Amino acid sequence: MPMKLYAHPDDYKTKRALIAAKYAGLEVQLPKSEAPTVGRIAALETDEGAIFMSTSIARYIARINRTVGLYGQNLLESGMIDSWIEFCTNELEVPLCTWVLPVMGVFPDHPEATAYAKEDVKKALQVLDNHLLSNTYMVGHTITLADISVCCALVDGMKLVLDENFRKPYANLMRWFKLCLGQPEFQAVLGDVKLAGAAVAPAAAKPKQEA
């Protein structure tokens, strides 16, 4: 039976799990819900029990089919994948969300916080670009959960705020990003990702939904 993922369908973390499922050959359904999903914890319902929190869900899915190699070919690669997932969570997603979410109208814009976030994003992208100078993929020689995690974390930013001039110094990162987007498993979930030509201005924050 297919697993059921209760999460916001547009959230990049949801897409991370769905791409991992495509690679693993698993069927994961996103049940429709009338209740608001903003601020709610993602949960995966399986035949054997439930798993919650988006990163735990992605890791679980990536480990199901070991032959695919989403969690590496050995213990060292598995540890390296975990390292890049942690880097993505703490060094990339935090500042990028601080910058992107006001543009999406999720949170009000705070110019000072956004300015600091931009600098932190630059630092994270430089680390990734340096790593990808001599590596085709984040870890090993095939797509892993590290690639899926970093790519999904970047998508909204690439579409909304990381304009052509901002992207220019990161040629290695962009080569890798386009390589990921060209994979059928990524395309099936992300569709056609149009890179930002010019950065989008912050939108008015959406009113909070009552639970």
Side-chain angles (χ1 to χ4, degrees), residues 67-165:
T67 60
V68 178
L70 288 184
Y71 235 93
Q73 303 299 325
N74 50 56
L75 285 175
L76 177 60
E77 288 190 359
S78 295
M80 294 169 69
I81 290 166
D82 279 332
S83 296
W84 282 115
I85 292 173
E86 294 299 321
F87 173 87
C88 180
T89 299
N90 297 301
E91 304 299 326
L92 177 61
E93 293 178 41
V94 171
L96 192 54
C97 284
T98 301
W99 185 4
V100 170
L101 292 181
V103 173
M104 299 174 70
V106 178
F107 296 130
D109 181 42
H110 297 284
E112 185 176 358
T114 300
Y116 280 114
K118 289 180 181 180
E119 294 305 312
D120 288 340
V121 169
K122 287 180 181 179
K123 294 175 184 176
L125 296 188
Q126 191 61 62
V127 170
L128 293 169
D129 192 72
N130 291 344
H131 176 70
L132 291 165
L133 173 64
S134 55
N135 294 278
T136 303
Y137 301 100
M138 294 302 301
V139 177
H141 303 289
T142 59
I143 291 284
T144 66
L145 188 60
D147 298 282
I148 297 171
S149 298
V150 177
C151 183
C152 286
L154 284 170
V155 167
D156 288 335
M158 289 290 187
K159 293 196 297 186
L160 296 173
V161 298
L162 304 179
D163 60 28
E164 188 174 358
N165 287 333

Side-chain angles (χ1 to χ4, degrees), residues 47-59:
D47 290 339
E48 298 177 347
I51 299 169
F52 64 95
M53 303 302 289
S54 57
T55 300
S56 297
I57 291 169
R59 283 173 165 152

Side-chain angles (χ1 to χ4, degrees), residues 8-23:
H8 195 294
D10 296 328
D11 193 308
Y12 69 90
K13 297 174 185 176
T14 302
K15 294 175 180 179
R16 172 180 60 183
L18 294 177
I19 293 172
K22 292 289 184 184
Y23 274 97

Side-chain angles (χ1 to χ4, degrees), residues 27-44:
E27 185 179 356
V28 176
Q29 297 179 344
L30 280 172
K32 294 182 179 179
S33 173
E34 298 299 326
T37 54
V38 176
R40 293 180 181 269
I41 295 173
L44 180 71

